[in-house]
């Protein structure tokens, strides 16, 4: 006889102006499964009910057989114990493991076009998996080997879940990190978001000593929670922060060019991982692109095969002119320019 584990799926309660008792219980279960702990006030605020109603609904869940633990203290609250039953979709062990593996693959490969959604769903599922299935998923993590793209380092599968959980947890963490030169550092950070560029994952966090930073996920060696809660106010746009740091951060030189293309088309010509974009009216885009030297940048700009104007610096503009003249001369015979 096969045992079962379960997962919340329906979201009809999102469209109801006033929740019925049963719909409210489903909403409460979904919230409890979404993160490790909630205070009574947080649950009441999310559900639009009183603290008394939350406590009454928690009691009903316990009567139905769900193990909801209470934590005392100012940062205490309610926690759905891992392995608890969560309706209404019934999955047996093999099905639950298959769903978890599928979500892991989608999060790593971006096959569904929504890596964050896949990772979020996987986090919710692992929160309620019985230990026997969680152990099997851990064994799968240990056995998994992904063939990287050329020059792309391996990313340990469990790292993404650890970083995503840290972003959800809302508390300071101690980060052990190895930079591009192989130097090891330990710093205190406030986790915020994970950003996927299509090739790599980046961990966006506030370094308590240096401000907002991006860290390559494959270089994270360990992330240890400190138990110190933090509140992040006025955070940066994580995608723009990663784009700016990856496009211009590693390079000693940066060129500013104008493309006579709307922003959407300019992003297809120069990806966000290569340049930092800003609109210049509805039909043009200014892009900052990093490079090793003027000649290297000129070679890249010629390879775009699209009209553009180098606004700065002069060294890149002159290198582009030299390369263009050399290319024209190579395709001109003694009788004049080619037809």
């Amino acid at each position: 006889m096969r045992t079962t584990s379960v997962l919340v799926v329906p979201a009809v309660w999102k469209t109801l102006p006033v929740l019925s008792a049963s719909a409210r219980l489903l909403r409460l279960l979904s919230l409890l499964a979404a993160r490790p702990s909630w205070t009574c006030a947080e649950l009441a605020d999310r559900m639009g009910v009183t603290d008394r109603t939350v406590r009454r609904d928690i009691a009903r869940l316990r009567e139905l057989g769900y193990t909801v633990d209470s934590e005392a203290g100012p940062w205490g609250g309610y926690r759905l114990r891992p392995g608890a039953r969560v309706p209404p979709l019934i999955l047996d062990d093999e099905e639950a493991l298959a769903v978890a593996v599928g979500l892991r693959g989608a999060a790593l490969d971006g096959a569904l076009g929504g890596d964050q959604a896949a990772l979020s769903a996987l986090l919710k599922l692992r929160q309620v998996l019985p230990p026997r299935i969680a152990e099997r998923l851990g064994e799968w993590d240990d056995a998994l080997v992904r063939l990287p793209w050329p020059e792309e380092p391996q990313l340990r599968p469990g790292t993404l879940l650890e970083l995503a959980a840290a972003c959800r947890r809302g508390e300071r963490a101690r980060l052990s990190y190895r930079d591009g030169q192989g130097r090891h550092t330990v710093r205190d950070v406030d986790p915020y978001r994970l950003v996927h560029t299509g090739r790599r994952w980046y961990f966006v966090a506030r370094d308590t000593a240096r401000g907002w930073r991006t860290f390559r996920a494959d270089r994270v060696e360990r992330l240890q929670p400190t138990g110190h809660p933090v509140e992040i106010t006025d955070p940066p746009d994580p995608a723009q922060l990663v784009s700016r740091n990856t496009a211009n951060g590693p390079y000693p030189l940066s060129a500013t060019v104008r493309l006579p293309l709307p922003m959407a088309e300019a992003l297809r010509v120069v990806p966000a991982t290569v340049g930092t974009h800003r609109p210049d009216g509805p039909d043009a885009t200014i892009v900052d692109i990093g490079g090793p030297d003027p000649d290297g940048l000129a070679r890249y700009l010629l390879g775009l095969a699209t009209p553009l104007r180098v606004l700065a610096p002069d060294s890149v503009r002159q290198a582009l002119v030299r390369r263009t003249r050399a290319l024209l001369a190579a395709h001109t015979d003694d009788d004049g320019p080619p037809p």
Side-chain angles (χ1 to χ4, degrees):
M1 180 177 180
R2 296 193 296 182
T3 55
T4 59
S5 58
V6 286
L7 169 69
V8 168
V9 171
V12 295
W13 42 263
K14 294 181 180 179
T15 61
L16 297 177
V18 178
L19 296 179
S20 66
S22 57
R24 196 173 63 240
L25 290 180
L26 286 178
R27 167 67 164 152
L28 179 57
L29 279 170
S30 179
L31 289 172
L32 290 172
R35 76 183 201 194
S37 180
W38 294 84
T39 65
C40 184
E42 288 174 332
L43 290 171
D45 180 66
R46 286 294 189 97
M47 298 176 63
V49 297
T50 64
D51 290 3
R52 181 180 179 182
T53 299
V54 170
R55 289 191 289 270
R56 186 167 61 244
D57 287 348
I58 291 291
R60 288 175 178 170
L61 289 179
R62 288 168 174 163
E63 290 173 358
L64 292 172
Y66 299 97
T67 307
V68 183
D69 294 331
S70 300
E71 300 172 351
W75 298 106
Y78 296 109
R79 180 174 67 90
L80 186 65
R81 185 182 299 174
R85 296 175 300 130
V86 185
L89 178 61
I90 307 299
L91 302 175
D92 62 37
D93 286 5
E94 297 300 327
E95 291 169 338
L97 186 61
V99 170
V101 171
L103 288 171
R104 171 67 53 73
L108 287 172
D109 301 331
L112 301 180
D115 314 294
Q116 295 291 345
L119 194 56
S120 176
L122 181 58
L123 280 171
K124 288 184 178 181
L125 179 58
R126 288 198 67 164
Q127 180 73 15
V128 296
L129 282 179
R132 60 183 179 276
I133 306 179
E135 290 174 3
R136 293 184 62 186
L137 186 59
E139 294 170 356
W140 183 84
D141 284 346
D142 293 338
L144 175 66
V145 176
R146 297 178 65 237
L147 184 64
W149 292 97
E151 301 181 0
E152 181 183 2
Q154 286 275 15
L155 174 62
R156 182 171 57 89
T159 298
L160 284 181
L161 283 180
E162 293 172 6
L163 297 179
C167 293
R168 281 179 173 270
R169 197 176 291 119
E171 67 180 50
R172 187 156 293 165
R174 184 143 297 161
L175 173 68
S176 298
Y177 188 73
R178 171 181 47 81
D179 65 17
Q181 286 70 46
R183 296 173 298 195
H184 295 261
T185 60
V186 178
R187 60 189 85 189
D188 288 339
V189 299
D190 300 332
Y192 182 56
R193 289 291 186 272
L194 278 173
V195 176
H196 191 208
T197 65
R199 285 190 57 205
R200 296 192 179 104
W201 284 89
Y202 288 85
F203 175 51
V204 177
R206 181 174 57 193
D207 188 320
T208 58
R210 303 175 60 188
W212 286 100
R213 291 290 183 270
T214 61
F215 305 93
R216 274 180 42 176
D218 57 278
R219 293 177 180 167
V220 172
E221 298 181 331
R222 188 183 182 192
L223 191 70
Q224 180 68 34
T226 65
H228 175 65
V230 293
E231 182 179 357
I232 294 179
T233 59
D234 194 26
D237 184 310
Q240 289 186 4
L241 184 64
V242 170
S243 175
R244 183 170 63 249
N245 289 351
T246 56
N248 302 316
Y251 298 107
L253 182 65
S254 179
T256 302
V257 301
R258 184 181 187 273
L259 300 177
L261 301 170
M263 175 77 82
E265 294 183 30
L267 282 166
R268 285 194 288 268
V269 174
V270 181
T273 53
V274 175
T276 304
H277 302 65
R278 59 185 184 275
D280 185 27
D283 300 318
T285 305
I286 305 296
V287 187
D288 296 317
I289 304 173
D293 52 56
D295 194 60
L297 273 169
R299 184 168 58 249
Y300 175 78
L301 294 175
L302 276 176
L304 296 179
T306 189
L308 57 86
R309 179 177 181 81
V310 177
L311 302 180
D314 287 339
S315 59
V316 175
R317 186 185 302 114
Q318 293 165 4
L320 183 62
V321 170
R322 286 195 302 270
R323 279 192 163 270
T324 302
R325 287 175 175 169
L327 185 63
L328 181 62
H331 291 79
T332 303
D333 55 31
D334 295 337
D335 297 330

